[in-house]
Structure formats: structure tokens, C-alpha cells
Amino acid sequence: MPRTRFFLLFLFILVQLTAVAQTTPAFLQPNPRIDRWVDSVFTTLTPDERIGQLIMVAGYSNRTPAYEDSLVTLVRTYKLGGVVMFQGGPVRQAKLTNRLQALSTVPLLIAMDAEWGLAMRLDSTVRYPYQMTLGAMQGHDSLIYNMGAGLAKQARRLGVHINFAPSVDVNNNPGNPVINFRSFGENKYTVARKALAYMKGMQDNGLLTTIKHFPGHGDTDTDSHYDLPLIAKSRAEIDSLELYPFRQLMQAGASGVMIAHLNIPALDTTRNRPSTLSPAIVTNLLKNELGFKGLIFSDAMNMKGVTKYYPSGQADELGLEAGMDVLEFTYDVPAALQQIRLGIASGRLSQESLDARCRNVLRAKAWAGLDKYKPVVLDNLVRDLNPASSELLNRQMTEKSLTVLKNDRSLLPLQRLDTLRIASVAVESNTVTAFQKMAANYTKVDSFTMTSQTPDSLLNTLRDSLKNYNLLLVDVHLSNIRPPRYGMQARTAALVSELVATGKAVVTVFGNVYSLDKLTMPNDTVSSRSIEQAQAIVMPYQLTNYTEELAAQLIFGAIGAEGRLPVTVNQRFRAGDGLSIPSLNRIKYTIPEEVGIDGAYLTQQVDSLVNVGLEKRAFPGCVVEMAKDGKVIFQKAYGTHVYDASLGGDPVPDKVDDLFDLASVTKVSTSTPALMQLVDAGKFNLDGKMADYLPSYKKSNKADLVWRDVLTHQARLKAWIPFWQSTKNPDGTWKPKTFQDEKSNRYPIVVTDSLFEFKNYPQTIFEQIRESPLNAKKEYVYSDLSFYLYPQIVKRLTKTPFEDYLKKNIYQPLGAYTLTYNPMRFYSRDRIVPTEYDSLFRKTLIWGRVHDEGAAMLDGLSGHAGLFGTANDLMKLIELYRRGGTYAGKQYIAKKTLDEFTRYQFPELGNRRGIGFEKPSFTYTGNAPRSASKNSFGHSGFTGTFVWVEPDYNLSYVFLSNRVYPTRNNNLISSLNTRTYVAEALYRATKRGLRPN
């Protein structure tokens, strides 16, 4: 033979051998351990028992003891090979599995149909996104691999050895009632690539897989559960489209293939013969032509797609005759065994071929570890099945799949929050939704709900209310993912169309992507009542907490969008459609694991520290919020507003959106940022003198005090002045022109519900500050006095009242609408946490009004105290500081200015202060977290509040409490160091990082 021909022949043989090695599933590859176990088990089995290994029956863990007894009897009597588990719960299923395995001579192969996780069948387990949702992701196949890996670990922990997944059907029929959202999409290359990642993730982690539904169930409008679908395609069409993903995954070593119940004349001309019973499809096409060597499973043998024309028993025998290895969900085991024996007797089936299949099933069992079977451990089972890594993965996949289909004038992400009056309207929901709650984290959003059953009278009221808003966030909640209506009630489309017709709607459809067709006008009709007339359209593909929360975060610019439609819905919405939307880098809300922190550890640390404070009654309740890398990772409320109702108020639980009196945190939330902006504008000089900005001080003892000294508390100012004490006579009555118990034109300043201040008395306070003596020595003495004055300075330099300036230039653009003075103008008292029962001055429980007496005498507004707000809105300001003065693309404060204000000003004098800000002591005193760096800064408040910024670790921290309830004499929060110890827990968790699950 010439050398060239010999070389070509050798090369051909080498390629063929390589192809065989590539397509041989792992469980069939040579393995002495597996070989020994298979031989030892096989020789103990009778011919009938070998047949039994090819049968899997259904198992349910949510049924009666009598049912379980019957299942045990069935499996034990016929020595069946496996059980396919369906509905139930993880602990119940584990107990049932252990019971079945204990009574089986040969360990059972436990299977589940868990395409989107164990939650497809079981409660209390992880639900991953549908394959259609994942089809929208552009790239990120590693996430799908990780999903497969995570699911494999969860399945194996539960005693499950095989997953009937992934679906590799190419869904190119929008009316498909059975595959639909279970497909990765209509592009065969995308389907193959994503399914391969999913399959490998499972198989690489010890879980057998079954790709389905061969030879392709994507182009049908009939559900094989209820009838036999007809696939009227040519062989060439099937070969080029439907078979492509199967080829790719089989070439990559798929361990199993599931055969669908389909009638396909192009592949088998026998009338009404389902593909499961077709030798032409199972043996000739799958085994011989495509060369598949793994396990071949039937689809459920109780489905009408097979039983309509072939009764139970006969269908099972014909399935094995066609070439299948395992009969899944055999409905009548005795009838099936009887028919199989008849098939052997007639020569249609050979015992030898069934023995070979039995050996393959045993090999799969050994590969899955059943040669060393151990019962499922019940301890910590639910915890182990719900690792934080799966929640993080769910968030990541959901985020990457979000698809924006329209975005007029680049409306998304929303900018200029201070110009928007936003209403969120949840369609087909009776309660405030997760989407609405998340949206409210970003700015003031008023929430409304409506359903198809809402009476017209209420709808009319809602229509009138919505006229007051210039932006509507319309979130459509479709609880049914399945065709033909996808949860779309008769009036749903009309309600959405009406909202869209306002010309100010951003529509998010939480449901099957094909539902968009129900909201689109037919053909080429142009109508203002079509969803296309929305200002923006967001498609999250399904209704979950993840999709709701992340869709809201997308709209507000915490995350971007890069998803694309995986299927064509209609002429308006086609496969590949989608817009890339950038992130504005607003605060993102996520879990600690996203930033490399062990959430369980962080929660345990914070909980234990806070609970000590609660037990010792250091404070009635508190809210803790933490962020890392610009992401809020911890947001939790503890305790109650008050200890009991004896002093007024109720011990209702604290909530994360409660408003607290911020006390001296006001200094770094009002005066300090305002001064920084004035420095940026060239209107305020830190090295100028007090008289430069306060003309009335030119002849005072404070005229030449330098602002840098003043703001670092070393200008010799007195620590404080108890202004209210000078308003009383020796007998305890009020002096003239101070207070009275009725409001009038002369006494308009409301101090409490029954105490009103003389209109000119605030000027007396400012005079007392101006005339107060100075301390003899220039040294660090913390003083409130200068902070009373900054509202006057800001108003004088900007021609704008202090609060108006703050809201216009800082709070409202940030979306921090709850940061306000005198909160009862805008919020009900039950959202505001009470502070002290003042038994000396105001003689009442301070609730909804400022705790600090001096600020109370200035109508609740001062630069040192008086600001109220939620932890979340305060976090936005703190994050602005951490980010160097920038937030959501807007520069509020120049970085160089912020750096100047937050550095140590006079460390050589032993003064630890920045300008306005607190800094860590040079030796640890507990005023800051122990691990705080020299670059960190923040402030504490008398009422029990604390904020801290750590640039070196990208940390931001807010702690709000009302420790002064019912008395300021309770200083346990400081002696326990609760606030800084909780902050230290964040440092420790950051340094510790993630630990293996």
C-alpha cells in the first residue's frame, strides 16, 4: 500500500477512534472499580430482576403513609431499578428515599425532573431561572455551568443521581404549550452552547443528565402530556435545526437522552406511532446514525402522547423493542413486565439485549456512587440545599438576562430624580410588590395596585390620582407562565394600554416573554393603546423576587442591561432585540456574598452584638445598614420603638424605613456638606475668620476665631449652653416672652403639642452664643455652638433658606427624600421613632420633634441637630462621601474638598478631628471601629446614632437607634460600644472573606 494511502487510512481511523472517545459518556468509560461492582451485582439478578432494573416508577413525598407503603411494596416486589421523584419536600423526600433504598437489594437510581432546580418539584429548595430567561443572557455561560454544578451538589446531597435536564429543544413556535419557557430559545447555536454549559456543570459534579426531548419538541402547538403532537417537517429541516443541539451535547459526552412522544412522518411513516416506540428513531437514528452510546430514557410513559394509541404494558414493551434503555414513569408495572416477557418469548426482544442495557444501568449507578451507597443525612438538610452561593448565582443570572426593548430619549436609567414625581402601579397585584419596595429605596415613589377585578369606582379614583405624577412605573405581574394566556386576564391588557396611553409609562412585564404579544396591537396597526407606546419597556421573563428587585435596580441605574430576546414574539419584538443600558452606579442592593463576604457570619456577628444591647436595654430598637463597594449588603431592623406603652407610643417593631432623630449626625449631614459646597463655589474660606461671614460678630470676642479651628473644636468655644434653663423663673414658671401653652401669632413656634415659643426668642439664642465667654486655653473641646450658626451663613451666602438649600442641592437629587427637619410635615408619627421622655423642660415624650432642646427652640431646625431620616437615605449621603463627592454620575462635592474636610487637621496637637467629621483616636478609645484606618471618618449622635466611612475597604455604615428612650441617663450603648463594635464586625467579615459552603 502506498505510504500516502496508508497515512490517510491511519488518520481516518485515528479520527474515528477520537470521535468515539469524545462521545462515550463518562460512566461507560473503562473503570476497574465500576466493572467489578457491575459484575458482582449482575450475576445475582434473575432475568426478571434485570428487566426490573430498566423500569423507573414515580414517587411523591407529599402523599399519605398508605401511598408510601404501596410504593415500597411495588419497588420491592418487582426489584425495580429506580424512582423518579416528583412533588413534595426535601426532608420528606429524603426519608422516603432512605426507606426505599434500605429495602432494595440493588441501590435505586433516584431521578428528578429538575430543569430549573429542585424547586421545580420540592418546596424549601433553590429555584433557578427558567431556560428561556437564561437564553437572554449574552455570554456568561460560566454562570450556567455554575448553576449546573450547584444543582448537582444539591441533588447529590438529597440522594438524587440523575436530572432529566437540560431541555435542548429549539423553541421556534411561539404557540408551543409544553416547551416554551423551558427552552433556551429559537437559535440552535445558542441553545446548544447554553445547554452544553448546563450539562457539563452537572456531569462534572457527579450528576447524570438526560438531554431532551429527542428528536426535538420545540416546533409543536400540541402538549404531549394530553395528545400526540404531529411534527410535519422534512428530514432535512429536522436534521439542520432540531438535531443540532443533540449532536453537540452527545459529542461532548451526554450521559443520557430522553425520547419525546412525537409523531414524525419524516422519520417514521407508521401512523400514530410516537417516537418513543419507533425503532427508526431510537435505534436507527439515535443509536446507529448519531452513534449515541449513553442511556436512552423514555418520556413519562403515562402521558397521552403514548397511551392514546398504545395502552400501558404494550407501550412499555414496544419502547424497549424500539431501543430504549429505561422506561420512565411506567404506569402499570405488572402489565409492563408481562408484555416484556411476551416480547422475549416471541423473539421481538432478546434477553441478551436487555442484559446489556441492565449492565449499562448498573454502570451508571456505580458512576453515581451507588456502589458505596450511604443514606441521606437528614441533619441540616434544608440549610445545605439552600447555600448562599445559589442566591448569588440567581441574582447574577437574573441581572444578566434583563432586557430593555424600548428606551425613548434614553429615559433609562432614570436621572434627575428631583424632577420626577413617580407613581408605581402594580397591575394584577393586590399588595405592594417587591418591585415597588425596591423602587422606594431610590427615591420617593408612591405605590398603587390594580387588578382585573378592581371596581370601576376605585379605578376612577386611581386615574385621578395618577394625574399628579409625571412618571408611571407600570409593573405587570403575570403569575401564570404558561400559554395561551400567560396569566393575562381579560382586562389586563386594557389596563396596561390605558396606562401606556398617558405617555409617561415605563412598563416592566414580569412573565413569559410571549405575553408581549397580548399587549401588542395586531399586524401593523399603530395605536396609542399598544405597549409599544410606552416610554420604556423592560422584560425580566418571569415573576420572582429576583426579577422584581433587579428590574427596579435597572430602572434606577444601580445596574445596567445587556439582555436580548431569545425568541421572536411577533413582528414588533424579534429574537435578538434589546438595548444596552449603562449603569449610573447608584447604590445596589444585594447580598454579602456578592462582595466576597460570608453573609451568615456577618449576620451572626451583628445579631449577637445588637441582641446584647437589646437584652441589657441599652436601646429599645435600632436599624443597621452596611455597604461595601457601593452595594448595600446588610439592612435590618431590630427591637421595637419603645419598651412598653407606659410613656406613650406602642412597642411596635422597628422597620428599616423608620425615621430616626439623627442628633449630632446632623452636623455631617447638613452643615458640613453645605460648607463643602460653599468651599467649592469659592464662597467660604476655611482659614477666614468668624466675622467674615457673621457681620454681627465683628465686635465680639469671637471675631478673629478661624473657621478651621472652629470646625475642629479647638477655637475655645464653650461645649454647650442649656438655653432653655434661662427661660424659667426660680419658681419654675416661664419668663415673659419665652413660652406659653397656646399657639398664637406671638407664640407661633411649636416645641410640643402644648408648648409654644415666642416668635423672637431664637434671636436671643444667637445673642447668647455670640456673647458667651471663651475657654481660657486653646485645646480640643467638642462644641455644638458654631453649628447653630451655619444655617445663617448658608442662607446669607446662597440667598436660600438652609433646609431648602440642602434639599435642592443634595437630598432630592440623591433621592434621599426622608432627610428632613420637622418630619411630621410629611410623615405619620408611626413611622417616626420616639426619643426621650423630657421630665425637665418639655414634660412629655419627644416623638416626631427634635430631641435636642436648643434645636427645638429654633423651630426644630439647626445645623447641629434636628435632621430626621431613614438609614437608607442617610446611606446615600454617606456613600457620596465614600465615592469622593460623586454619586450617580453627578459631582456634588469636589474630591479635593472632601479630602481636606476628612483628613486630620491638627494631629500634632493631639486633635483627632477632621473638619466637621470625627476621625479615629490616635490610640484606641472606642470612638471608632478598632480596625478603622487613618483615612476613615464619620460621626456619632447623642440619640444613639452613628455613621462611618472607610475608604480603604470601601465600607459605609449607618447605625440608628433611640438609646435616649426613655431617659438620656441610659448610656449603656456607649459603655457596651455597640455602635462601633457592630461596625468592627463589618471590618472582620471583610477581612475574613468567604468560606466554602
Side-chain angles (χ1 to χ4, degrees):
M1 181 183 293
R3 287 189 176 185
T4 301
R5 291 181 59 194
F6 177 84
F7 176 76
L8 291 176
L9 178 60
F10 173 80
L11 185 62
F12 174 78
I13 294 172
L14 181 62
V15 170
Q16 292 301 107
L17 289 173
T18 302
V20 170
Q22 289 175 337
T23 58
T24 301
F27 75 92
L28 290 177
Q29 295 174 13
N31 185 310
R33 174 184 62 82
I34 291 177
D35 294 338
R36 287 192 298 270
W37 186 80
V38 170
D39 289 342
S40 67
V41 173
F42 181 81
T43 56
T44 67
L45 301 177
T46 67
D48 277 0
E49 290 171 347
R50 296 168 195 167
I51 296 170
Q53 288 298 302
L54 310 183
I55 295 175
M56 302 184 81
V57 293
Y60 298 83
S61 59
N62 64 347
R63 296 192 178 178
T64 64
Y67 161 79
E68 291 190 6
D69 291 342
S70 67
L71 177 62
V72 168
T73 299
L74 182 67
V75 171
R76 182 171 51 183
T77 300
Y78 297 102
K79 304 293 194 300
L80 301 183
V83 177
V84 186
M85 291 295 187
F86 287 90
Q87 281 72 27
V91 175
R92 288 170 290 168
Q93 177 168 311
K95 289 180 178 178
L96 178 57
T97 297
N98 286 346
R99 183 182 177 193
L100 290 166
Q101 294 283 27
L103 298 173
S104 297
T105 305
V106 180
L108 295 165
L109 192 65
I110 304 297
M112 287 188 72
D113 197 354
E115 295 169 26
W116 54 87
L118 300 180
M120 182 172 173
R121 302 299 180 189
L122 303 178
D123 60 41
S124 307
T125 53
V126 174
R127 173 182 292 274
Y128 291 110
Y130 297 134
Q131 289 186 192
M132 185 70 77
T133 305
L134 301 177
M137 292 198 304
Q138 300 304 293
H140 307 293
D141 292 346
S142 61
L143 295 178
I144 299 177
Y145 177 92
N146 291 340
M147 178 182 76
L151 175 53
K153 294 171 185 175
Q154 293 155 31
R156 296 308 306 272
R157 175 67 178 86
L158 186 59
V160 174
H161 314 103
I162 183 166
N163 186 13
F164 292 145
S167 168
V168 299
D169 303 297
V170 181
N171 201 85
N172 52 2
N173 186 335
N176 193 323
V178 60
I179 303 303
N180 201 289
F181 62 91
R182 298 163 64 192
S183 165
F184 285 111
E186 68 180 47
N187 182 290
K188 65 181 181 181
Y189 303 108
T190 299
V191 170
R193 191 183 74 249
K194 292 176 182 289
L196 178 59
Y198 189 12
M199 180 191 82
K200 286 185 68 63
M202 289 187 281
Q203 291 188 175
D204 287 354
N205 289 274
L207 187 66
L208 295 161
T209 65
T210 303
I211 60 177
K212 60 187 186 183
H213 304 80
F214 187 85
H217 209 322
D219 192 4
T220 176
D221 54 9
T222 301
D223 187 341
S224 53
H225 290 85
Y226 306 108
D227 204 346
L228 177 63
L230 173 67
I231 305 296
K233 283 190 165 189
S234 69
R235 168 61 196 264
E237 290 175 313
I238 293 170
D239 191 68
S240 66
L241 183 65
E242 274 80 6
L243 291 182
Y244 178 82
F246 287 98
R247 283 197 186 94
Q248 299 303 306
L249 271 69
M250 288 188 288
Q251 187 67 18
S255 57
V257 170
M258 178 179 286
I259 310 296
H261 304 309
L262 303 170
N263 183 234
I264 313 173
L267 300 180
D268 187 332
T269 58
T270 306
R271 181 179 176 82
N272 295 328
R273 176 184 278 176
S275 45
T276 28
L277 311 187
S278 169
I281 293 174
V282 180
T283 297
N284 294 347
L285 175 58
L286 179 57
K287 288 185 175 181
N288 297 339
E289 185 177 334
L290 299 181
F292 182 65
K293 293 177 170 47
L295 292 178
I296 301 174
F297 292 79
S298 71
D299 206 342
M301 295 300 289
N302 68 330
M303 293 165 60
K304 289 294 184 181
V306 65
T307 61
K308 181 175 182 179
Y309 297 104
Y310 296 87
S312 294
Q314 180 188 9
D316 297 281
E317 189 276 332
L318 290 174
L320 292 179
E321 189 177 330
M324 288 191 299
D325 297 313
V326 180
L327 302 169
E328 183 234 330
F329 208 147
T330 292
Y331 185 70
D332 188 337
V333 173
L337 288 172
Q338 181 181 6
Q339 290 296 320
I340 292 168
R341 293 190 194 103
L342 290 175
I344 295 171
S346 68
R348 297 192 306 273
L349 281 172
S350 71
Q351 184 68 49
E352 291 75 17
S353 70
L354 297 179
D355 287 351
R357 299 178 214 187
C358 174
R359 282 183 170 275
N360 282 349
V361 169
L362 293 175
R363 292 191 68 86
K365 289 185 175 185
W367 182 86
L370 284 171
D371 60 329
K372 299 178 180 178
Y373 164 75
K374 293 181 180 179
V376 180
V377 177
L378 301 181
D379 291 346
N380 300 316
L381 178 60
V382 173
R383 185 198 67 185
D384 294 347
L385 293 178
N386 291 274
S389 57
S390 290
E391 181 178 353
L392 175 59
L393 185 59
N394 260 316
R395 290 174 177 273
Q396 292 170 327
M397 292 189 293
T398 300
E399 179 178 335
K400 297 303 181 185
S401 68
L402 294 174
T403 304
V404 175
L405 295 172
K406 188 178 183 186
N407 191 26
D408 283 356
R409 298 185 300 280
S410 297
L411 177 62
L412 302 182
L414 297 178
Q415 304 181 55
R416 293 297 312 275
L417 297 181
D418 52 326
T419 68
L420 299 176
R421 301 184 306 281
I422 304 175
S424 177
V425 185
V427 180
E428 297 303 346
S429 176
N430 288 309
T431 59
V432 174
T433 66
F435 173 88
Q436 292 175 317
K437 292 176 182 177
M438 180 57 70
N441 276 324
Y442 288 100
T443 189
K444 187 177 186 298
V445 177
D446 294 329
S447 296
F448 303 88
T449 63
M450 62 167 62
T451 73
S452 300
Q453 308 303 315
T454 302
D456 287 340
S457 58
L458 293 181
L459 287 177
N460 288 333
T461 301
L462 176 57
R463 290 183 183 104
D464 289 340
S465 298
L466 295 181
K467 293 175 183 177
N468 299 317
Y469 301 89
N470 60 9
L471 181 68
L472 306 182
L473 302 181
V474 180
D475 46 311
V476 185
H477 294 255
L478 303 179
S479 57
N480 190 340
I481 199 79
R482 301 182 183 278
R485 298 210 58 83
Y486 308 104
M488 193 84 68
Q489 303 302 317
R491 291 180 68 195
T492 307
L495 291 172
V496 174
S497 295
E498 181 180 346
L499 293 167
V500 166
T502 63
K504 51 188 180 182
V506 173
V507 180
T508 306
V509 182
F510 296 103
N512 192 310
V513 63
Y514 289 120
S515 67
L516 289 173
D517 192 50
K518 305 292 183 182
L519 299 170
T520 310
M521 295 302 291
N523 303 320
D524 294 323
T525 304
V526 177
S527 170
S528 62
R529 297 178 71 82
S530 170
I531 192 176
E532 295 171 274
Q533 300 304 310
Q535 297 298 296
I537 303 172
V538 180
M539 186 71 236
Y541 299 98
Q542 56 189 102
L543 177 60
T544 69
N545 278 342
Y546 300 122
T547 57
E548 289 195 64
E549 291 181 1
L550 286 163
Q553 297 197 51
L554 162 65
I555 288 169
F556 282 95
I559 59 176
E562 58 183 56
R564 299 292 184 269
L565 286 185
V567 291
T568 294
V569 176
N570 52 32
Q571 291 300 312
R572 310 295 177 83
F573 302 110
R574 303 188 65 82
D577 286 355
L579 303 171
S580 295
I581 304 297
S583 166
L584 282 179
N585 202 27
R586 282 199 177 98
I587 287 175
K588 183 180 182 181
Y589 297 84
T590 185
I591 59 175
E593 283 71 17
E594 184 167 331
V595 295
I597 289 176
D598 184 332
Y601 173 81
L602 177 62
T603 299
Q604 185 274 329
Q605 294 290 301
V606 176
D607 284 356
S608 62
L609 289 165
V610 171
N611 286 333
V612 167
L614 293 174
E615 290 166 7
K616 292 184 177 296
R617 294 173 74 92
F619 43 85
C622 67
V623 173
V624 178
E625 187 157 339
M626 297 172 166
K628 185 179 188 302
D629 301 337
K631 302 175 177 69
V632 169
I633 58 170
F634 192 96
Q635 192 180 39
K636 189 172 182 179
Y638 298 83
T640 54
H641 282 194
V642 297
Y643 297 115
D644 54 53
S646 61
L647 297 176
D650 292 312
V652 298
D654 275 14
K655 299 181 292 296
V656 294
D657 61 350
D658 283 338
L659 281 77
F660 286 77
D661 182 334
L662 303 185
S664 281
V665 171
T666 298
K667 294 181 175 71
V668 295
S669 305
T670 61
S671 301
T672 306
L675 291 177
M676 285 191 280
Q677 289 190 333
L678 292 176
V679 168
D680 284 345
K683 295 181 177 181
F684 188 81
N685 180 5
L686 288 170
D687 295 310
K689 298 178 180 179
M690 288 190 79
D692 295 341
Y693 303 104
L694 295 168
S696 64
Y697 276 57
K698 287 182 178 180
K699 295 183 180 181
S700 77
N701 59 355
K702 301 174 183 63
D704 294 329
L705 296 183
V706 176
W707 286 110
R708 191 180 298 271
D709 288 330
V710 172
L711 284 160
T712 52
H713 303 277
Q714 61 173 33
R716 299 167 55 209
L717 294 178
K718 293 293 184 182
W720 69 299
I721 299 174
F723 299 105
W724 70 272
Q725 292 183 6
S726 62
T727 64
K728 283 200 167 186
N729 294 308
D731 62 359
T733 59
W734 300 116
K735 291 180 180 179
K737 295 184 179 180
T738 56
F739 297 102
Q740 66 178 28
D741 57 7
E742 291 185 3
K743 188 176 183 180
S744 66
N745 291 337
R746 285 167 54 82
Y747 289 82
I749 299 173
V750 181
V751 179
T752 71
D753 291 343
S754 59
L755 187 64
F756 305 91
E757 186 180 344
F758 183 63
K759 61 182 180 179
N760 294 331
Y761 198 81
Q763 187 57 39
T764 302
I765 292 175
F766 295 125
E767 290 172 359
Q768 290 182 48
I769 295 173
R770 187 184 63 214
E771 301 303 324
S772 63
L774 295 174
N775 294 327
K777 184 179 179 182
K778 182 180 179 180
E779 61 183 355
Y780 172 68
V781 175
Y782 181 78
S783 173
D784 278 345
L785 296 187
S786 75
F787 284 87
Y788 281 79
L789 309 175
Y790 298 125
Q792 298 179 49
I793 294 173
V794 171
K795 182 177 180 180
R796 181 170 177 270
L797 296 179
T798 66
K799 312 303 181 187
T800 306
F802 188 55
E803 184 176 21
D804 293 347
Y805 175 87
L806 293 168
K807 289 185 174 180
K808 179 181 178 181
N809 292 283
I810 303 175
Y811 303 157
Q812 291 176 359
L814 284 176
Y817 275 78
T818 64
L819 295 183
T820 186
Y821 290 98
N822 295 312
M824 286 197 295
R825 294 175 294 169
F826 313 107
Y827 301 98
S828 62
R829 185 173 283 183
D830 57 10
R831 275 197 65 184
I832 305 169
V833 179
T835 53
E836 181 181 9
Y837 182 84
D838 183 353
S839 62
L840 298 176
F841 170 33
R842 288 159 287 187
K843 310 289 188 181
T844 189
L845 177 67
I846 308 305
W847 188 4
R849 295 190 173 90
V850 61
H851 172 268
D852 182 89
E853 298 94 334
M857 296 170 70
L858 296 177
D859 204 13
L861 191 155
S862 180
H864 77 291
L867 192 69
F868 285 72
T870 64
N872 188 60
D873 277 353
L874 187 55
M875 177 62 78
K876 296 170 188 173
L877 180 62
I878 301 308
E879 263 295 297
L880 181 153
Y881 294 155
R882 187 195 64 79
R883 300 178 187 197
T886 300
Y887 186 80
K890 179 178 178 179
Q891 190 81 41
Y892 290 79
I893 301 165
K895 186 176 186 304
K896 66 177 183 179
T897 302
L898 188 62
D899 289 345
E900 179 64 21
F901 271 67
T902 57
R903 73 174 178 87
Y904 290 109
Q905 293 293 310
F906 300 102
E908 70 280 3
L909 300 178
N911 185 338
R912 68 171 187 259
R913 306 294 297 206
I915 297 174
F917 290 101
E918 171 77 298
K919 299 276 292 176
S921 296
F922 302 112
T923 57
Y924 179 71
T925 63
N927 78 307
R930 185 178 292 275
S931 297
S933 74
K934 65 180 181 180
N935 296 316
S936 64
F937 56 93
H939 215 285
S940 61
F942 188 76
T943 54
T945 56
F946 188 79
V947 295
W948 201 254
V949 179
E950 177 52 82
D952 286 10
Y953 293 95
N954 291 335
L955 304 178
S956 300
Y957 168 65
V958 175
F959 183 103
L960 301 182
S961 76
N962 55 334
R963 71 94 188 167
V964 294
Y965 178 88
T967 171
R968 70 184 64 195
N969 295 327
N970 177 11
N971 202 34
L972 280 172
I973 196 171
S974 294
S975 59
L976 293 171
N977 269 342
T978 302
R979 293 170 289 185
T980 56
Y981 281 0
V982 170
E984 179 64 21
L986 177 58
Y987 281 87
R988 285 199 304 270
T990 299
K991 295 175 183 177
R992 181 177 185 269
L994 290 170
R995 293 292 185 271
N997 288 317

